[in-house]
Amino acid sequence: LVIAMRQAKELFLWKPKNKIKLQDDYIKAIQDPEFKSFVLSLPTTEEILMRYTHRLQESFAECKHCKHCEGLEMCKNKQVGYCLTPTANERMISFSYDACPYQVEKRKRESYQENVVMFEMPKALKSATLRNIYTDDKNRIEIIRYFKEFMNSYGTKPVKGLYLYGSFGSGKSYLIASLLNEFAHRGVKSVIVYYPEFLRSLKESFSDNYKEKFNLVCHASLLLLDDIGAENLTAWSRDEVLGPILQYRMDEKLPTFFTSNLNLEELEMHLSISSSGVDKIKARRIIERIKEVSIPMKLESKNRRG
């Protein structure tokens, strides 16, 4: 609307008494060879160009800014991430704000990030990418090889997720988040939850949105249960939450990812002991389901946090 009003104003100024001034302004402006080349590339007459000299100068200046811009934080244009662009015909010139490549890329990032739902996870994981993961650690070679195979196979045949366990701060969560973000670019939706906090939230939402949260995790195309084994185990969390989630995902062949500081034997021990006593059979059932939806893999590395 603002652009249209300014264009109407310029047309209003096109009266005989203003013609000489506008002509003079145009002649002065095209003394700049770059500006002259810019305006003469438009498919219209010089008479029309004269009417829009000042707006064309604004547009020319913004286009020059874009040529040397290195990112949105460096943008010098009035509308950050947009360039005032002229479109001409035989009767008039119209102007629009067109998104620059950096703005387009930002939109793509924001769009793909909508495909990843995170629950109590660091926001930095939203921008985790495969190209930014450390490849200088030989301990990651097997994991990266698995990622390539998973990406090539997903959607063509049943594939398992990853049970990634190992040392504290070795980048387990970042690695899997980078893979899930890659699939978000492909339109595949995923859910990443910090498992101990997810359980606490479920317990507090029995009369609110318990079913909604539970189903979100159950039905996610790709799921990461982060830091499993760090929760305070109860029979309820094992038998009424984790067991049914894994059963559903196993039946539907939905890839499920886990991170943990515990290997599967240690996790089984953790799952067998609750406030109600020791139950090795139910713990074993959980472990078998984990094996059905994921492949165990160890990552031992230096602490990269901080």
Side-chain angles (χ1 to χ4, degrees):
L1 179 61
V2 173
I3 293 175
M5 292 175 64
R6 293 184 67 172
Q7 291 171 354
K9 182 179 179 181
E10 286 170 355
L11 286 173
F12 175 76
L13 291 172
W14 185 249
K15 295 179 180 180
K17 65 179 181 180
N18 295 315
K19 184 174 181 178
I20 295 176
K21 182 179 184 309
L22 292 172
Q23 188 175 31
D24 288 343
D25 291 343
Y26 175 76
I27 292 172
K28 289 178 183 177
I30 61 173
Q31 298 307 304
D32 181 340
E34 289 185 81
F35 177 74
K36 183 176 181 180
S37 176
F38 175 75
V39 298
L40 292 183
S41 67
L42 297 172
T44 191
T45 65
E46 285 201 283
E47 182 179 2
I48 297 297
L49 291 173
M50 289 178 195
R51 301 185 187 185
Y52 298 92
T53 300
H54 295 300
R55 287 293 275 164
L56 286 169
Q57 285 178 310
E58 287 182 43
S59 178
F60 173 65
E62 294 208 345
C63 288
K64 284 187 72 174
H65 292 159
C66 289
K67 284 183 180 180
H68 305 289
C69 184
E70 297 180 356
L72 291 178
E73 66 280 359
M74 305 293 290
C75 183
K76 297 179 181 178
N77 292 346
K78 289 182 178 179
Q79 303 254 2
V80 174
Y82 295 86
C83 179
L84 184 64
T85 307
T87 303
N89 57 41
E90 295 178 354
R91 297 186 304 275
M92 65 179 293
I93 300 175
S94 59
F95 296 84
S96 61
Y97 282 103
D98 294 348
C100 73
Y102 295 110
Q103 183 67 24
V104 172
E105 181 62 26
K106 179 185 177 184
R107 287 178 182 174
K108 287 181 179 178
R109 288 198 306 270
E110 292 173 345
S111 175
Y112 94 78
Q113 288 177 348
E114 292 175 0
N115 288 328
V116 182
V117 176
M118 291 193 177
F119 187 88
E120 296 297 327
M121 296 294 292
K123 291 183 179 179
L125 294 186
K126 277 274 190 180
S127 57
T129 62
L130 289 175
R131 66 175 178 269
N132 287 335
I133 65 176
Y134 293 101
T135 57
D136 58 347
D137 187 345
K138 65 180 181 180
N139 295 317
R140 296 180 174 217
I141 294 175
E142 186 182 3
I143 298 168
I144 293 171
R145 186 182 297 119
Y146 159 83
F147 281 178
K148 290 179 180 179
E149 292 175 358
F150 184 90
M151 292 169 66
N152 290 333
S153 301
Y154 183 82
T156 63
K157 63 181 182 180
V159 287
K160 291 185 178 183
L162 191 65
Y163 181 87
L164 190 58
Y165 67 96
S167 54
F168 175 83
S170 57
K172 299 184 294 294
S173 303
Y174 189 95
L175 279 166
I176 296 178
S178 68
L179 177 66
L180 269 52
N181 285 340
E182 182 68 28
F183 275 94
H185 283 290
R186 304 182 184 186
V188 179
K189 295 185 180 295
S190 61
V191 174
I192 301 176
V193 299
Y194 179 61
Y195 186 61
E197 184 61 25
F198 174 70
L199 289 175
R200 186 195 64 78
S201 176
L202 271 184
K203 197 170 185 178
E204 291 180 351
S205 60
F206 275 124
S207 59
D208 189 9
N209 57 347
Y210 178 95
K211 188 174 181 180
E212 180 183 344
K213 291 179 180 179
F214 185 82
N215 286 338
L216 176 69
V217 170
C218 269
H219 300 157
S221 298
L222 299 172
L223 171 67
L224 167 58
L225 297 180
D226 186 62
D227 214 6
I228 188 170
E231 73 280 4
N232 292 321
L233 183 74
T234 63
W236 166 80
S237 67
R238 181 192 60 207
D239 304 334
E240 303 299 326
V241 180
L242 184 58
I245 288 174
L246 294 179
Q247 185 66 47
Y248 179 87
R249 299 189 66 79
M250 183 178 70
D251 293 343
E252 297 299 320
K253 294 181 170 53
L254 295 172
T256 308
F257 295 81
F258 308 83
T259 66
S260 182
N261 293 325
L262 308 177
N263 62 33
L264 287 177
E265 290 75 20
E266 292 167 335
L267 181 65
E268 183 175 350
M269 185 178 296
H270 167 75
L271 293 171
S272 68
I273 303 173
S274 67
S275 57
S276 59
V278 178
D279 197 331
K280 293 183 179 180
I281 294 177
K282 290 182 178 179
R284 167 50 52 179
R285 287 175 181 167
I286 296 291
I287 296 301
E288 290 305 315
R289 290 170 185 169
I290 290 176
K291 289 180 179 179
E292 284 293 321
V293 297
S294 66
I295 300 169
M297 203 170 290
K298 185 177 182 179
L299 176 61
E300 287 292 347
S301 182
K302 64 181 181 180
N303 190 335
R304 296 182 183 271
R305 293 184 181 173

